[in-house]
Amino acid sequence: MNVAKLARRHLKAPRSAVLQQVRARSTRAASTCSIPNYAEPSFPCVDAHAARESRILASTVKAATSSSGPSTSSSSSSGPEPPYARPSPSSYKTFSSKDPLPLVYAPPLPQFEIAYETWGTLSPAKDNVILLHTGLSASSHAASTELNRAEGWWEHFIGPGRALDTNQFFIICTNVLGGCYGTTGPSSLDATTGERYATRFPVISIFDMVQAQFRLLDHLGIDKLYASVGSSMGAMQSLAAGWLQPERVGKIVSISGTARSSPSAIAMRFAQRSVLMADPNWNKGFYYDGLPPHTGMKLARQIATITYRSGPEWDQRFGRKFREIPDAQQDSEHPRVPALCPDFLIETYLDYQGEQFCLKYDANSLIYISKAMDLFDMTGSSLKSLKLTPPAPRSSPPPLPPSLAAHLPSPHHDYYHSHLSHSKSHPPPSNPPPHLPDLAEGLKPLANTPTLVLGVQSDILFPVEQQREVADALRMTGNQMVSYYELGGVWGHDTFLLDVQNVGGAIRGFLS
Amino acid sequence: MNVAKLARRHLKAPRSAVLQQVRARSTRAASTCSIPNYAEPSFPCVDAHAARESRILASTVKAATSSSGPSTSSSSSSGPEPPYARPSPSSYKTFSSKDPLPLVYAPPLPQFEIAYETWGTLSPAKDNVILLHTGLSASSHAASTELNRAEGWWEHFIGPGRALDTNQFFIICTNVLGGCYGTTGPSSLDATTGERYATRFPVISIFDMVQAQFRLLDHLGIDKLYASVGSSMGAMQSLAAGWLQPERVGKIVSISGTARSSPSAIAMRFAQRSVLMADPNWNKGFYYDGLPPHTGMKLARQIATITYRSGPEWDQRFGRKFREIPDAQQDSEHPRVPALCPDFLIETYLDYQGEQFCLKYDANSLIYISKAMDLFDMTGSSLKSLKLTPPAPRSSPPPLPPSLAAHLPSPHHDYYHSHLSHSKSHPPPSNPPPHLPDLAEGLKPLANTPTLVLGVQSDILFPVEQQREVADALRMTGNQMVSYYELGGVWGHDTFLLDVQNVGGAIRGFLS
């Protein structure tokens, strides 16, 4: 039976017949109730899941019928295509490696692809490169390009005179390993089998993501990075890049990240993975020829969104306001009757965020990358258990900004010491976490790398305590070039996407 | 077809046949893969949902076969009984009211039952009564009784010489309206239809719960309460009781509660309801003749558990430790291979908490009661919109503890003023929320009621800011008998269940 026929049948009989029969009596009871005390319930938020499934199936039928006719589709590539999994390779560049990529937790990936985009101009000496790392679900499209005019996720941070100044720097952003926007991930074809990896994809680490990026740099002939820059999971990659190849990374920018994922952040990501993996459509990861786990993705994103913003923002933005309902449904004599589906504005906001996301990203990518974040731990004992051999800290002074290199007296270190207001003060933390010495041990390879650590006080996912921890541990390695900032405001973790003035300003100051 | 047969068939064909066919190709692909690069994935955490469903069905088949034979079961009461919905009326007392109960948001409930338990001895004057309110999912079984020897949820807080001293007081605890442990709720039979309410049950408010409790007190001939005591949602009820009938409530204890649910607490409860309502077994609330939404309940409880404890506790208790795996599966040469199912101890903890809870509580009760918490708002403007007319504050001085009443000079107010160390200081809050004056307006009926407000600094669900808000608003009403405490420690919201010494001590001091 081909997919289009299956889909059509599914539209008519979306649920298990058995369960429907089990339930028939209660439904009958509801409809034959002659004197109902209370209104019959309605649940538009539940109906939305079924309606979404119908829409996906209908578009699948349409696509299958118009493209290959109803009787073909025997290979996996002609099966129903989840709407999120339609990368447009013309909108970004791709690097294909036929050489295996060693992985921390598994045998090497036999081959892999990296999708990337660039902004600015590579200097003849190839010494003005900034590698920009993404958060969990972002693509390489950090800002608009000639290939793709759409706004990017960091549109206002990249450009002439901006935080990442394209007049000075050549910026590279990749889709991460494990992702679904052109880089090899669980939705990619495994060349050894001709099938999609799905959950046969190996568990990956943040270090693997960065190693893949270094392979892209090798391919581009870029020996050194002026800086490695990232926020959220990108901050983890940024630190990992400096750690793996200290001589190759001039500076590190770590915004709202961590060097060691905490149990409470793991808990929030675990909750997301749990609801996603419980969606029957997830099917243990083998959904690429069927229906994507869109309901699980929506629920997971709702939970994630809670961790991306802050209570104070919601107090200001939504308070306890309800969504508006038509006057006809209201009665000035009686209180507004609340609904069990989203009714408060905070609920409709979370519902909307989940709905917008649920078909835009691959569920398996979410699971693998969120797990990689959980596993990230740069304490010395953890790195040792991963058999990662710490390299020596960089020996040479870090590069100077291209614009200043011609004008400044040497030695370079003086420049940093005088320029970074925070670099000379190393007050011991007043209430250090017990793992701090272990973290400092792990971060030793970064002892000579200028690093900007920036956190946000309203961030509940990567709280400021973790930002202080990174800065403190770096300083304990002897690093005298640590800039540390804490921002106020109510935007929580998402501040790095929103606060162009303060986040962008700190980056620009640190890089220039 | 009877339920037992349906259940047997379901055991054999648990999923939609269509979806299985849609997926057949990917499964085939997985099994015919001749040279797998990586191990075939296994997901015990997903299999657990199916295994649980099989166990429920198997026990249903067994029960149906042994009790009424396979060919009977036409009425709803003989259908498959969810394991949590087996109240044992012999273990508690029940008050049945045939008089309608007015509700805030809906027409009156035509009749209702309240399950309750008591400890201590009612004084001849009936003036030593403490009404103890429960949190979201607790039963009336706060402590062991002669009818039920099992430990209660506040076992160590109730008894001779304890926080609620049974040598002095007669303590009453009820299962709340909307609950599933003997009090009328969504799983109860609607007498007008003979069917279970399910989601035809009306949306209820905290005020409705308390009105039902007052009806029980009427029935017991108890005109006045020595005190109204509660934690978490119980603190909301405790405040609501004092507000609804100021003359009837001598003192209020509000522990880790709020007088106005915040958007961030609503967000966390919304996430729980969303995952529950998305479980196909939930069936818009009409699952009582079918299978309970055990997977949704497990996922909801995992999320809830995150809000009940604190990051600092998990840092201390679990850190980044993994569950133990057998030596045979480990390889000292290579890093431990992480699993996508629960692997960190924090994950196995949340998984366990969800598993333990998922069949113990009625899903609809969870939805209705969690919604009632969201709706709770004692600001003047909100109470006005609910058409709740504020009564006058209590006029007479509050009752004195029975043990002291004979010995103290009058006026009674002096006793409170001298006894409560916090009562005389009313520093204006340094950073008051904008709704504080509105809240003070709403709390005016409590202006003369001695109130203990206690919060915990590590509580992320009812943060200390909300505790300060309650105390500040009460003081702004002119109330000079507000005791306020903040506790440290890492137990978060659950501190009220655990910290017998500090929570219990504050209560005992305030009541005696």
Side-chain angles (χ1 to χ4, degrees), chain B residues 275-411:
Chain B
V275 300
L276 180 47
M277 290 161 71
D279 184 332
N281 280 8
W282 183 63
N283 195 34
K284 296 188 178 180
F286 291 87
Y287 53 80
Y288 294 111
D289 289 336
L291 296 159
H294 51 90
T295 300
M297 284 294 276
K298 175 171 180 174
L299 299 170
R301 186 64 168 194
Q302 287 181 175
I303 299 168
T305 304
I306 294 175
T307 68
Y308 293 158
R309 295 299 179 102
S310 81
E313 187 202 9
W314 294 334
D315 287 337
Q316 292 177 16
R317 187 168 167 193
F318 305 123
R320 291 184 45 84
K321 289 199 201 88
F322 287 101
R323 74 191 158 97
E324 286 186 18
I325 52 175
D327 284 343
Q329 291 172 31
Q330 295 192 66
D331 166 4
S332 62
E333 289 297 304
H334 297 98
R336 183 188 195 280
V337 178
L340 296 177
C341 273
D343 204 9
F344 283 106
L345 286 188
I346 176 64
E347 295 178 301
T348 58
Y349 166 76
L350 296 174
D351 183 85
Y352 176 83
Q353 294 296 326
E355 192 70 43
Q356 287 302 300
F357 182 75
C358 68
L359 291 171
K360 279 190 184 159
Y361 198 70
D362 178 50
N364 285 337
S365 283
L366 181 65
I367 291 169
Y368 276 86
I369 297 178
S370 111
K371 189 77 190 185
M373 293 175 76
D374 291 1
L375 292 167
F376 191 61
D377 181 359
M378 297 189 79
T379 55
S381 53
S382 169
L383 295 167
K384 193 176 169 190
S385 76
L386 299 183
K387 318 289 176 191
L388 287 167
T389 312
R394 56 179 301 130
S395 50
S396 58
L400 284 181
S403 57
L404 292 174
H407 312 291
L408 268 182
S410 60

Side-chain angles (χ1 to χ4, degrees), chain A residues 1 3 6 9-10 15-16 18-19 21-23 25-26 29-30 33 35 37-41 43 45-47 49 73-76 79-80 103-110 190 192-193 195 197 199-200 202-203 260-264 266-268 270-271 273-275 277-278 280-284 286 289-291 295 299 302-303 306 311 314-315 319-320 322 332-344 346-347 350-351 367-368 371 374-377 385-387, chain B residues 1 3 6 9-10 15-16 18-19 21-23 25-26 29-30 33 35 37-41 43 45-47 49 73-76 79-80 103-110 190 192-193 195 197 199-200 202-203 260-264 266-268 270-271 273-275 277-278 280-284 286 289-291 295 299 302-303 306 311 314-315 319-320 322 332-344 346-347 350-351 367-368 371 374-377 385-387:
Chain A
M1 184 179 293
V3 172
L6 284 174
R9 184 192 283 185
H10 187 81
R15 310 187 92 158
S16 152
V18 176
L19 261 186
Q21 283 173 279
V22 170
R23 286 165 188 155
R25 276 188 310 164
S26 40
C33 158
I35 317 169
N37 236 320
Y38 301 109
E40 284 300 309
F43 292 98
C45 56
V46 176
D47 294 335
H49 300 312
S73 82
S74 58
S75 84
S76 64
L103 301 175
V104 168
Y105 297 111
L109 263 182
D190 176 354
T192 60
T193 64
E195 298 288 334
Y197 281 106
T199 43
R200 279 166 291 171
V203 170
R260 178 182 176 276
S261 286
S262 69
S264 49
I266 294 172
M268 292 304 292
F270 167 69
R273 289 193 297 269
S274 293
V275 299
M277 290 162 70
N281 280 8
W282 183 62
N283 193 35
K284 298 188 177 179
F286 291 87
D289 291 336
L291 294 160
T295 300
L299 299 170
Q302 288 181 172
I303 299 168
I306 294 174
W314 294 335
D315 288 336
R320 291 184 45 85
F322 288 101
S332 61
E333 289 298 302
H334 297 98
R336 182 187 195 283
V337 179
L340 296 177
C341 274
D343 204 8
F344 284 105
I346 176 64
E347 295 178 301
L350 296 174
D351 183 85
I367 292 169
Y368 276 86
K371 189 77 190 184
D374 291 1
L375 293 168
F376 191 60
D377 181 356
S385 76
L386 299 183
K387 318 289 176 192
Chain B
M1 184 178 294
V3 171
L6 284 174
R9 183 192 283 187
H10 186 81
R15 311 187 91 160
S16 151
V18 176
L19 261 184
Q21 284 175 278
V22 170
R23 286 164 187 155
R25 275 188 311 164
S26 39
C33 159
I35 317 167
N37 236 318
Y38 302 109
E40 284 300 308
F43 292 96
C45 56
V46 176
D47 295 334
H49 300 311
S73 82
S74 59
S75 83
S76 63
L103 302 175
V104 168
Y105 297 112
L109 263 182
D190 176 353
T192 61
T193 64
E195 298 287 334
Y197 281 106
T199 42
R200 279 165 291 171
V203 171
R260 178 183 177 275
S261 286
S262 70
S264 49
I266 294 172
M268 292 305 292
F270 166 71
R273 289 193 297 270
S274 293
V275 300
M277 290 161 71
N281 280 8
W282 183 63
N283 195 34
K284 296 188 178 180
F286 291 87
D289 289 336
L291 296 159
T295 300
L299 299 170
Q302 287 181 175
I303 299 168
I306 294 175
W314 294 334
D315 287 337
R320 291 184 45 84
F322 287 101
S332 62
E333 289 297 304
H334 297 98
R336 183 188 195 280
V337 178
L340 296 177
C341 273
D343 204 9
F344 283 106
I346 176 64
E347 295 178 301
L350 296 174
D351 183 85
I367 291 169
Y368 276 86
K371 189 77 190 185
D374 291 1
L375 292 167
F376 191 61
D377 181 359
S385 76
L386 299 183
K387 318 289 176 191

Side-chain angles (χ1 to χ4, degrees), chain B residues 397-450:
Chain B
L400 284 181
S403 57
L404 292 174
H407 312 291
L408 268 182
S410 60
H412 290 159
H413 263 80
D414 289 347
Y415 164 71
Y416 285 103
H417 284 196
S418 62
H419 198 68
L420 302 176
S421 61
H422 298 253
S423 65
K424 285 182 186 165
S425 64
H426 300 250
S430 57
N431 189 19
H435 55 263
L436 192 61
D438 193 9
L439 189 59
E441 176 66 28
L443 294 181
K444 271 187 178 169
L446 300 178
N448 292 333
T449 308

Side-chain angles (χ1 to χ4, degrees), chain A residues 135-376:
Chain A
L136 199 168
S137 59
S139 71
S140 59
H141 195 58
S144 49
T145 63
E146 286 191 8
L147 292 175
N148 182 357
R149 300 281 182 185
E151 259 201 9
W153 55 266
W154 236 25
E155 186 72 24
H156 304 291
F157 289 77
I158 300 172
R162 292 185 169 165
L164 303 187
D165 186 354
T166 48
N167 288 335
Q168 273 194 289
F169 300 114
F170 180 68
I171 298 130
I172 304 174
C173 183
T174 83
N175 184 215
V176 291
L177 190 72
C180 61
Y181 293 125
T183 293
T184 297
S187 59
S188 303
L189 290 180
D190 176 354
T192 60
T193 64
E195 298 288 334
R196 291 178 194 266
Y197 281 106
T199 43
R200 279 166 291 171
F201 197 72
V203 170
I204 52 173
S205 92
I206 300 287
F207 293 100
D208 299 331
M209 297 176 185
V210 174
Q211 294 286 27
Q213 290 164 330
F214 278 134
R215 293 279 290 275
L216 167 65
L217 297 180
D218 295 342
H219 163 75
L220 297 174
I222 295 166
D223 292 334
K224 296 203 174 186
L225 290 173
Y226 181 76
S228 170
V229 174
S231 308
S232 192
M233 185 182 78
M236 298 177 176
Q237 295 172 71
S238 195
L239 290 166
W243 190 93
L244 283 168
Q245 301 203 31
E247 295 292 354
R248 199 172 188 176
V249 178
K251 296 183 180 189
I252 290 172
V253 173
S254 165
I255 298 167
S256 299
T258 185
R260 178 182 176 276
S261 286
S262 69
S264 49
I266 294 172
M268 292 304 292
R269 286 190 287 264
F270 167 69
Q272 296 166 48
R273 289 193 297 269
S274 293
V275 299
L276 180 48
M277 290 162 70
D279 183 332
N281 280 8
W282 183 62
N283 193 35
K284 298 188 177 179
F286 291 87
Y287 53 81
Y288 294 111
D289 291 336
L291 294 160
H294 51 90
T295 300
M297 284 294 276
K298 176 171 179 174
L299 299 170
R301 187 63 169 194
Q302 288 181 172
I303 299 168
T305 304
I306 294 174
T307 68
Y308 293 159
R309 294 302 179 99
S310 80
E313 187 202 11
W314 294 335
D315 288 336
Q316 292 177 16
R317 188 168 167 193
F318 305 123
R320 291 184 45 85
K321 289 200 202 87
F322 288 101
R323 75 193 158 98
E324 286 187 17
I325 53 174
D327 283 343
Q329 291 173 31
Q330 295 193 64
D331 166 5
S332 61
E333 289 298 302
H334 297 98
R336 182 187 195 283
V337 179
L340 296 177
C341 274
D343 204 8
F344 284 105
L345 287 188
I346 176 64
E347 295 178 301
T348 59
Y349 165 78
L350 296 174
D351 183 85
Y352 176 83
Q353 295 296 326
E355 192 70 44
Q356 288 301 301
F357 182 76
C358 68
L359 291 171
K360 279 190 184 158
Y361 198 71
D362 177 52
N364 285 337
S365 283
L366 182 65
I367 292 169
Y368 276 86
I369 297 178
S370 109
K371 189 77 190 184
M373 292 175 76
D374 291 1
L375 293 168
F376 191 60

